[in-house]
Amino acid sequence: MQRYYKNNDEFLSQLYKAIACLKTEEECKAFFEDLCTYQELGSFAQRLQVAKMLNEKYVYNDIVKKTGASTATISRVNRSLHDGNKSYDIVFERLEEKK
């Protein structure tokens, strides 16, 4: 399935534009509930929590206990935090600004 999306940048572009046009948490909730399965949403939420905990310097064992994420998931998120597009940093900064 990954190959399918790599070859259809137009579909991904439409998805990103759709997400970017949502204005409220309620709109996002409704859209993602329509778009994703409960399991997919759970995975997204889990990865965000893992990233948050890694950013706060939690150790893997504590993250596993609190989130139920596998060490493979934690490792992947950790790679994204260090070698990715810095999108988690943007999200964490903006969430902090909203507090």
Side-chain angles (χ1 to χ4, degrees):
M1 177 127 20
Q2 190 173 17
R3 182 176 299 132
Y4 173 79
Y5 288 110
K6 284 186 177 182
N7 294 328
N8 288 286
D9 291 338
E10 179 185 342
F11 293 169
L12 283 173
S13 179
Q14 288 175 6
L15 175 62
Y16 301 144
K17 287 175 186 174
I19 293 168
C21 78
L22 299 169
K23 295 182 180 176
T24 66
E25 183 177 341
E26 292 78 20
E27 287 179 354
C28 287
K29 180 180 184 292
F31 180 72
F32 279 97
E33 285 179 352
D34 287 344
L35 181 67
C36 301
T37 66
Y38 181 75
Q39 186 173 9
E40 289 166 335
L41 282 173
S43 293
F44 294 152
Q46 182 186 63
R47 287 182 197 145
L48 182 60
Q49 183 63 33
V50 167
K52 183 176 182 287
M53 293 179 75
L54 286 167
N55 197 50
E56 294 171 354
K57 309 297 185 211
Y58 280 76
V59 296
Y60 275 38
N61 286 340
D62 292 338
I63 297 170
V64 168
K65 287 177 190 171
K66 181 159 184 175
T67 67
S70 69
T71 55
T73 295
I74 298 167
S75 180
R76 184 196 175 289
V77 171
N78 196 37
R79 273 194 311 277
S80 292
L81 278 171
H82 295 288
D83 302 326
N85 298 313
K86 304 301 179 199
S87 60
Y88 284 115
D89 294 338
I90 293 167
V91 168
F92 295 147
E93 181 180 316
R94 290 184 184 164
L95 285 172
E96 194 61 34
E97 288 171 2
K98 287 189 174 220
K99 283 186 177 179

